[in-house]
Amino acid sequence: MAIRAVVFDVFGTLVYMRERRRPFRRLVGLLEARGRHGQAGDAARIMSRDVGLAGAVALLGAELGAQELASLERDLQAELASVRLFDDTAATLQALRARGLKLGLCSNLAAPYAPPVRALLPFELDAYAWSFEVGAVKPDPAIYAHVCERLGCAPAEVLMIGDTRADDWLGPRDFGMHSRWLRREGGDAREETIAGLDQVPAEVERLAD
């Protein structure tokens, strides 16, 4: 079955942050310092709900002072302002669109990070599977099902590209999609590993053979 669509992870794949302050991680740390015991699912709960920092505090059943929250918000705004496309992102998206392929995003992401990403893309994509809208985080099959449905494609017609082994390579593959693990640092000769987005069009062609 030929590839009809390519789906990308976002951070570490299409975009990066020049200034990392990790406000949501700091938030959890501050709550732990106040006596709330962190839970393994805290990050997933935040990323699967459409909430900002204040909403995350409420979601975790906690309280935080106004000054601390304002400090976290400043860190968040600094991160959002520092989001940039990787050098190979725009050209790759344009090359794939020129081939008539549908394009989508599938990302585990806290809600505030989505708008700056969409603003940087060279054009609107065909489908978006944000974890905070879907209510599920990778590698939950529900998020892959969502993006395939939005694209109007069977899983076997979709190629997923991302920089996380479990979420972007193994998870989609187990769901029935094709997948490639993006490792920009190199150092891995596996067949399903690529070193840059400029290799994606060739992978599409290879899968069509």
Side-chain angles (χ1 to χ4, degrees):
M1 190 176 293
I3 297 298
R4 296 177 53 214
V6 181
V7 173
F8 295 90
D9 171 53
V10 176
F11 281 90
T13 300
L14 297 180
V15 305
Y16 65 97
M17 281 185 287
R18 297 176 64 183
E19 187 171 349
R20 295 298 302 270
R21 299 197 182 185
R22 297 179 173 85
F24 284 91
R25 184 179 298 181
R26 279 190 58 213
L27 167 63
V28 173
L30 285 171
L31 297 181
E32 289 179 358
R34 290 175 175 267
R36 180 189 181 275
H37 296 294
Q39 301 176 18
D42 283 345
R45 289 179 66 194
I46 293 170
M47 290 189 292
S48 60
R49 301 290 188 276
D50 190 356
V51 296
L53 287 164
V57 174
L59 181 66
L60 298 179
E63 295 182 357
L64 201 62
Q67 289 187 340
E68 290 173 314
L69 192 58
S71 175
L72 292 172
E73 188 64 40
R74 286 192 294 272
D75 283 348
L76 174 60
Q77 294 307 314
E79 280 198 337
L80 299 182
S82 76
V83 177
R84 299 289 186 273
L85 293 178
F86 280 108
D87 291 341
D88 52 5
T89 295
T92 298
L93 294 177
Q94 289 161 349
L96 295 171
R97 173 60 61 86
R99 291 171 182 242
L101 292 162
K102 294 182 178 181
L103 301 174
L105 301 184
C106 183
S107 178
N108 291 348
L109 203 63
Y113 294 91
V117 171
R118 293 188 70 160
L120 287 170
L121 295 175
F123 47 77
E124 277 292 306
L125 305 190
D126 301 290
Y128 299 87
W130 307 111
S131 59
F132 62 87
E133 290 184 343
V134 179
V137 298
K138 298 179 291 185
D140 187 327
I143 197 168
Y144 308 125
H146 180 90
V147 74
C148 289
E149 180 181 348
R150 289 295 180 93
L151 289 165
C153 295
E157 297 175 314
V158 181
L159 172 62
M160 174 84 189
I161 307 293
D163 70 316
T164 304
R165 183 176 187 271
D167 295 346
D168 305 319
W169 180 40
L170 299 179
R173 188 181 67 179
D174 291 344
F175 183 68
M177 301 163 71
H178 297 275
S179 59
R180 295 293 181 269
W181 184 11
L182 175 65
R183 304 196 70 185
R184 291 184 178 275
E185 302 301 321
D188 195 308
R190 264 182 287 210
E191 181 182 4
E192 294 185 349
T193 299
I194 60 174
L197 295 181
D198 57 336
Q199 296 177 243
V200 175
E203 292 300 310
V204 172
E205 291 295 324
R206 192 169 73 82
L207 289 168
D209 292 340

